[in-house]
Amino acid sequence: MKKSIYFSLVLLGLLATGCKKGYPVDEDGLLITTRSDCYVSSFEILGADYQTVRSKAAVVDTTAQTVTVEVLFGTDLKNLYPQFTLVTDAKLDPKIPGKVDFSDLSNPKKWTVISGNRKVRKTYTVNLSVQKIN
Amino acid sequence: MKNKYILYVLGLFVLVFTGCKEKEYETPTSPSGLQNDLIKRSLGPSIVGMDIEFAYAMALLPEKGKLASATVTASIAGATGTYMDNKFYTTTSGGLDVGTVVGTPSVNSGNTTTVTYYADISAATLRYFYRVPEEARGKEVTFTFSVTSTNGETNSYKSGPHPIRRMDIKKNLIVTDPTACYLSIADMAVYDAAFAAANPSKIDLVYLYRAITGVTFNHALVAPTASVEYRPGITLPAGLTNKTKLIKAWDIRDQQLVNTTGLATSVFVDDIDLEQRNFTDAPDFAINTRAESGVWVETADGKYRAYIYVNSVVNTATSKQMTIGIKRLTIK
């Protein structure tokens, strides 16, 4: 009788721990998956009032790895909030914790997209221009 | 064991058949003595020059006596305009408040405001409007509402402390391009070019409207130091040098600055919002300011911070203007 109880307990212990599967996570605590896709799917940019400052849709070129966006005349370039939409499981480096200064137009900002499996990295250049008075 | 079980079952039956017995409705008995209660009707930060509104309810059984007087004592005397309404209000099916006079118009004496009831009033709710005085700025105000009845009873209700904000408020300023387009945050006033020329240090912002092909310019508030491209066609009076900082805002429809009744909003800009605003790297221009948008402002000397709310804009062939309201805090 006692033997069967011990046996049952051991079995339960095995059941509880034996099938535990470890999911790999990266340094940010994000799940590392098998996806190798690595691109920006869309781009938005907001002003200090959290309203879009785009004068037209941003153009994302996944081959050239560029984002080209024109912002409205009179946009405060020092206080902008870029928003990237990425392919599933990908992440952005560096992170964007708040506003970004785009005022140095001669030095476009760059962000790197990292794939879900964390093995592919593609650096995108954001070419920002300001709407001109005709 | 068997007996115990039977007793237990019987007990359970008793509980089941008595526990959910519905009591017959009894008309509540009015509490004896003079009763009172209070609600604060106004919302948002209390600001000098604005009213804090209360509704003070008083009642006693008619056979016990009648209401004699209602008095409010404020810890700091209210400004001119403080009063207690001598009417109680009922609401019509159309939603309109209809007042019924129950006493003499209120009398202010020092810190107190009193309404003396007419002879036959047993219950009423009176509204009290405390106009916040300058002396109360940055302090706290408490109120004691008290009622007396003809049988000599008294009762009272304390409210507060209510903190009074340090900020100022000014509503319904109209800036017009080009006749009255110079705005002073220090004065919370709009001036013309002649005044601006005579008092250049007072001018913090310039209003303009431009319809420019190819860009969205429209209504704008710019500092006198703003680049010429942000104030096209404007020749500033000499001496205007204030580099005012501006941050555009959207969806901050301050309830105390909104002047249209149809716009439901429960947003309030408070002292702390102005104190904690970060103006580092803020520009000196705000292009395309729309109705119901706003602008956070810091004056060039850092003395004032303000929130300007745009109530409405007009851009017809003959008129280019904005109606604005300002909340302003003295920082140093």
Side-chain angles (χ1 to χ4, degrees):
Chain A
M1 180 66 180
K2 273 187 179 177
K3 269 188 182 175
S4 65
I5 291 172
Y6 287 136
F7 178 75
S8 301
L9 283 173
V10 169
L11 201 65
L12 276 175
L14 281 173
L15 278 174
T17 60
C19 298
K20 190 172 179 181
K21 190 177 179 181
Y23 292 102
V25 291
D26 65 9
E27 67 278 8
D28 295 322
L30 298 172
L31 195 64
I32 297 173
T33 66
T34 56
R35 287 192 174 92
S36 58
D37 295 335
C38 186
Y39 58 88
V40 174
S41 51
S42 68
F43 181 81
E44 175 61 282
I45 190 159
L46 308 179
D49 55 358
Y50 306 112
Q51 301 295 296
T52 187
V53 291
R54 284 184 294 104
S55 61
K56 51 194 169 193
V59 177
V60 179
D61 186 332
T62 54
T63 306
Q65 292 167 210
T66 57
V67 175
T68 305
V69 62
E70 183 187 77
V71 296
L72 295 165
F73 174 80
T75 296
D76 169 19
L77 298 179
K78 287 192 171 184
N79 298 287
L80 293 175
Y81 298 91
Q83 295 179 337
F84 291 83
T85 304
L86 308 178
V87 65
T88 307
D89 294 344
K91 70 172 189 176
L92 201 64
D93 183 48
K95 298 179 186 72
I96 305 173
K99 61 188 182 184
V100 177
D101 184 352
F102 278 88
S103 59
D104 186 0
L105 296 175
S106 59
N107 287 305
K109 296 277 178 192
K110 293 176 191 285
W111 279 273
T112 299
V113 182
I114 304 170
S115 65
N117 63 9
R118 304 294 183 259
K119 290 177 180 171
V120 184
R121 299 170 68 91
K122 289 187 178 175
T123 299
Y124 277 70
T125 304
V126 178
N127 297 308
L128 188 139
S129 60
V130 182
Q131 195 179 36
K132 297 272 190 297
I133 295 178
N134 294 327
Chain B
M1 178 67 186
K2 197 176 180 184
N3 285 346
K4 266 188 184 175
Y5 177 72
I6 291 167
L7 279 173
Y8 173 74
V9 171
L10 281 173
L12 203 62
F13 267 104
V14 170
L15 278 174
V16 165
F17 286 108
T18 60
C20 298
K21 191 175 180 180
E22 192 175 328
K23 286 183 180 173
E24 278 187 30
Y25 175 75
E26 290 176 11
T27 307
T29 310
S30 302
S32 63
L34 186 56
Q35 305 295 313
N36 71 162
D37 204 351
L38 182 78
I39 58 168
K40 181 171 176 281
R41 278 171 58 86
S42 52
L43 300 173
S46 303
I47 302 170
V48 171
M50 295 190 75
D51 288 346
I52 308 175
E53 184 185 349
F54 298 89
Y56 182 45
M58 300 147 270
L60 83 167
L61 294 170
E63 60 271 23
K64 301 274 185 184
K66 304 292 179 190
L67 297 176
S69 67
T71 300
V72 187
T73 305
S75 58
I76 300 172
T80 303
T82 295
Y83 74 104
M84 182 180 263
D85 210 341
N86 61 336
K87 300 170 187 164
F88 78 81
Y89 288 89
T90 50
T91 308
T92 65
S93 57
L96 293 173
D97 279 354
V98 178
T100 304
V101 176
V102 292
T104 58
S106 65
V107 176
N108 291 329
S109 175
N111 292 15
T112 65
T113 303
T114 303
V115 165
T116 304
Y117 280 104
Y118 292 154
D120 56 347
I121 309 298
S122 294
T125 297
L126 302 186
R127 296 178 185 180
Y128 171 66
F129 298 84
Y130 177 77
R131 183 72 49 90
V132 180
E134 182 59 43
E135 306 88 274
R137 187 188 299 276
K139 298 175 185 170
E140 290 182 331
V141 184
T142 55
F143 301 94
T144 304
F145 292 77
S146 58
V147 54
T148 60
S149 60
T150 53
N151 63 359
E153 281 188 73
T154 62
N155 205 346
S156 65
Y157 199 112
K158 287 203 170 178
S159 178
H162 299 279
I164 306 300
R165 303 308 197 270
R166 293 194 299 113
M167 64 164 57
D168 289 291
I169 187 169
K170 188 93 174 199
K171 297 173 71 171
N172 297 325
L173 286 170
I174 297 175
V175 283
T176 308
D177 181 10
T179 52
C181 61
Y182 297 95
L183 182 64
S184 169
I185 298 297
D187 294 355
M188 292 205 292
V190 178
Y191 297 114
D192 60 12
F195 183 93
N199 304 275
S201 64
K202 285 197 168 191
I203 304 306
D204 299 298
L205 293 168
V206 182
Y207 163 73
L208 69 155
Y209 174 86
R210 296 289 183 271
I212 301 172
T213 307
V215 301
T216 311
F217 195 100
N218 298 334
H219 303 268
L221 285 168
V222 301
T225 54
S227 168
V228 174
E229 65 177 336
Y230 298 130
R231 49 181 179 84
I234 288 185
T235 305
L236 293 174
L240 268 64
T241 56
N242 283 333
K243 187 175 176 58
T244 310
K245 291 181 175 178
L246 300 159
I247 301 172
K248 288 176 77 173
W250 179 252
D251 213 18
I252 305 175
R253 300 173 180 88
D254 183 283
Q255 193 185 90
Q256 292 166 316
L257 293 175
V258 165
N259 64 359
T260 46
T261 52
L263 187 62
T265 170
S266 54
V267 176
F268 296 93
V269 172
D270 211 332
D271 281 3
I272 195 168
D273 299 308
L274 293 162
E275 284 163 354
Q276 294 185 349
R277 186 69 35 192
N278 183 359
F279 285 88
T280 308
D281 292 335
D284 57 359
F285 58 88
I287 308 298
N288 189 26
T289 51
R290 293 169 286 167
E292 297 181 25
S293 72
V295 183
W296 301 97
V297 180
E298 185 182 68
T299 56
D301 57 7
K303 186 175 180 183
Y304 299 107
R305 286 184 181 174
Y307 178 69
I308 297 176
Y309 175 71
V310 181
N311 282 287
S312 59
V313 296
V314 175
N315 50 295
T316 62
T318 54
S319 181
K320 319 290 184 196
Q321 66 180 43
M322 291 200 307
T323 302
I324 59 173
I326 303 176
K327 277 185 168 179
R328 184 202 65 182
L329 184 68
T330 304
I331 299 295
K332 57 185 180 183

